[in-house]
Amino acid sequence: MSDIHIDGLVKTFGSTRAVDGISLTVRSGEMFFLVGPSGCGKTTLLRMLAGFSTPDSGQIRFGSEDVTALAPNQRDIGMVFQGYALWPHMTVAENIGFGLKMRRVPKEEADQRVTEVIDLTGLTGMGDRKPNALSGGQQQRVALARALVIRPNLLLLDEPLSNLDAKLRIEMRREIRRICKQSGTTAIYVTHDQDEALSMSDRMAVLNAGRVQQCDTPVDSYRKPASKFVAEFLGEANLILAELVDVDDRFARVRLAADRPMFHVEHAMDPAQARTGVAAPLMIRPADLHPVPVRDDSGSVANSDLVALGQARVIDTQFFGSSTSMAVEGEFPLEGTLRIQSPSQAADLQEGDQVTLYGSQSAMWLLPQDPPA
Ligand code: ATP
């Protein structure tokens, strides 16, 4: 198998640039995700990869082979969509083996390959059943087995889990990843569900309005977003406005007010474009904010990674079992509501309580400044 190269791909529908100049390389054996809100161009890009739609410009290569003009059946692509579209009159094994029959693979080899993928996908013993005697999760496994049995150059998955209930979806996330990794398949997976992308991908591209906003590992995309859009798409993000004092390639020095102490944080800025003395959004994920009731706060925390951000008042608490979510109002400038997520046993706070808010310095991340008005 070889790398997949997407180079300067453009697709327009009337005046809509559905895919607006996308370039990406997906490495051999990689589980790569395309994520983004509805209408960002995920499906349009996937359809061009599959060969169902022709780009206006740009190129798609599998290794060194230009496949841009090839028909779908010449690309050796496996596909799994949200509707499984299994043949109801065929058994599981017949459904899985159908693509091999079409390709005129000799029966003995075909039977062996079908048995292998049945085992790989956890369907051992179910080969003789009809699809209507399978659960939703098992049908999804058959759809995956059917796509993998042809040993595709590339496996495309388009929202494959959206028909399953929440619990099964989480179980199948693990299973799909295991199966792709075990078979060494290169996969591109489309979803609007950020949790699916964060938990399953090796790398992910976040799309907006037909363009790639960021292409990174899940950890870096979540912790070091390139923009406010990515920060907010991938999960709750508190955005506190901080004044930029100075900046080098890696760190920025900021303060929340002229009379407040300065501290260093890593940043997503281009130092050449950064404007000192101007506010920038400082991102802190809810789990990286630590409230200490003012009555208990001695002013000297033991953890040197924590920076005191200021005083705040709890305005709402929600208990979720493993964690508690709180909304607080702070004394510093903020975009939107400030949210905190604390381990349940640590959160003994009520509405109206005054707290000192500490932020984990190593987890804070300074986003680019808004362009000058
Ligand atoms: P969703 O998550 O809702 O499926 P998506 O990210 O897959 O969205 P696309 O289906 O790729 O988005 O659509 C991107 C843009 O192109 C949208 O504005 C959509 O309305 C437009 N579009 C897609 N297909 C067509 C078409 N055949 N004709 C006209 N416009 C289209």
Side-chain angles (χ1 to χ4, degrees):
M1 256 177 265
S2 39
D3 293 354
I4 309 292
H5 303 279
I6 299 167
D7 198 5
L9 227 49
V10 174
K11 181 76 185 178
T12 48
F13 298 106
S15 58
T16 308
R17 287 177 81 84
V19 168
D20 191 8
I22 289 187
S23 297
L24 292 167
T25 296
V26 178
R27 298 172 197 139
S28 175
E30 190 169 35
M31 180 129 217
F32 191 92
F33 269 63
L34 298 171
V35 285
S38 183
C40 71
K42 307 180 292 288
T43 305
T44 305
L45 179 54
L46 207 70
R47 286 175 55 80
M48 290 192 281
L49 284 164
F52 296 142
S53 147
T54 313
D56 300 345
S57 59
Q59 197 186 48
I60 301 167
R61 280 177 294 126
F62 291 179
S64 57
E65 190 192 1
D66 183 350
V67 301
T68 321
L70 292 187
N73 61 4
Q74 295 173 307
R75 298 188 184 199
D76 268 340
I77 283 181
M79 276 179 278
V80 183
F81 297 118
Q82 50 176 272
Y84 326 114
L86 303 176
W87 301 104
H89 60 288
M90 289 187 195
T91 64
V92 165
E94 285 164 351
N95 264 284
I96 296 173
F98 187 71
L100 298 176
K101 211 169 168 182
M102 292 289 98
R103 286 171 170 77
R104 303 192 194 291
V105 174
K107 186 168 180 329
E108 200 175 323
E109 184 193 337
D111 288 349
Q112 192 194 334
R113 279 166 66 171
V114 168
T115 307
E116 269 170 33
V117 290
I118 282 184
D119 290 346
L120 175 73
T121 50
L123 291 166
T124 309
M126 297 181 201
D128 294 332
R129 286 203 208 166
K130 294 277 175 62
N132 65 8
L134 299 177
S135 69
Q138 288 162 344
Q139 291 183 36
Q140 189 54 266
R141 287 168 196 264
V142 177
L144 192 58
R146 184 179 54 179
L148 289 174
V149 79
I150 62 161
R151 298 187 180 149
N153 286 319
L154 174 63
L155 178 68
L156 298 177
L157 303 113
D158 190 0
E159 306 265 6
L161 302 181
S162 35
N163 282 353
L164 305 180
D165 67 49
K167 193 156 173 271
L168 193 54
R169 224 163 35 221
I170 290 171
E171 180 190 325
M172 284 304 289
R173 282 181 194 165
R174 254 190 232 113
E175 271 298 274
I176 291 183
R177 188 175 157 88
R178 175 191 67 75
I179 292 163
C180 287
K181 288 290 155 191
Q182 212 163 315
S183 57
T185 306
T186 310
I188 299 183
Y189 189 124
V190 160
T191 182
H192 64 272
D193 181 333
Q194 71 277 14
D195 289 337
E196 227 162 85
L198 289 169
S199 61
M200 292 177 71
S201 70
D202 292 317
R203 285 189 309 143
M204 54 201 271
V206 180
L207 307 189
N208 187 28
R211 296 191 178 182
V212 175
Q213 299 285 309
Q214 185 163 2
C215 179
D216 238 321
T217 61
V219 171
D220 280 351
S221 305
Y222 185 78
R223 303 238 68 112
K224 301 183 172 189
S227 63
K228 250 194 256 185
F229 176 84
V230 176
E232 291 181 324
F233 183 74
L234 293 182
E236 270 191 302
N238 294 305
L239 300 174
I240 294 174
L241 292 175
E243 181 200 335
L244 181 67
V245 178
D246 52 38
V247 61
D248 64 22
D249 284 347
R250 178 148 179 220
F251 287 101
R253 201 147 55 114
V254 295
R255 61 184 170 192
L256 298 188
D259 59 349
R260 304 278 305 160
M262 293 188 238
F263 54 94
H264 286 92
V265 286
E266 288 188 278
H267 65 81
M269 289 187 171
D270 172 0
Q273 306 273 318
R275 288 162 288 143
T276 53
V278 174
L282 179 63
M283 182 197 84
I284 315 178
R285 296 289 181 194
D288 300 317
L289 273 176
H290 307 281
V292 175
V294 166
R295 58 179 186 270
D296 302 339
D297 184 25
S298 62
S300 57
V301 284
N303 185 340
S304 62
D305 186 40
L306 294 183
V307 174
L309 300 173
Q311 305 262 306
R313 194 170 67 91
V314 177
I315 53 175
D316 173 46
T317 69
Q318 278 178 295
F319 178 67
F320 287 103
S322 61
S323 68
T324 297
S325 171
M326 273 171 275
V328 302
E329 279 173 344
E331 60 172 11
F332 27 76
L334 188 67
E335 288 187 15
T337 312
L338 196 63
R339 297 207 71 89
I340 307 176
Q341 191 190 345
S342 299
S344 284
Q345 74 277 20
D348 187 18
L349 288 163
Q350 313 289 327
E351 277 174 46
D353 281 355
Q354 286 288 333
V355 294
T356 307
L357 270 192
Y358 290 88
S360 166
Q361 196 170 348
S362 56
M364 290 190 238
W365 177 252
L366 196 67
L367 290 162
Q369 291 159 322
D370 289 334

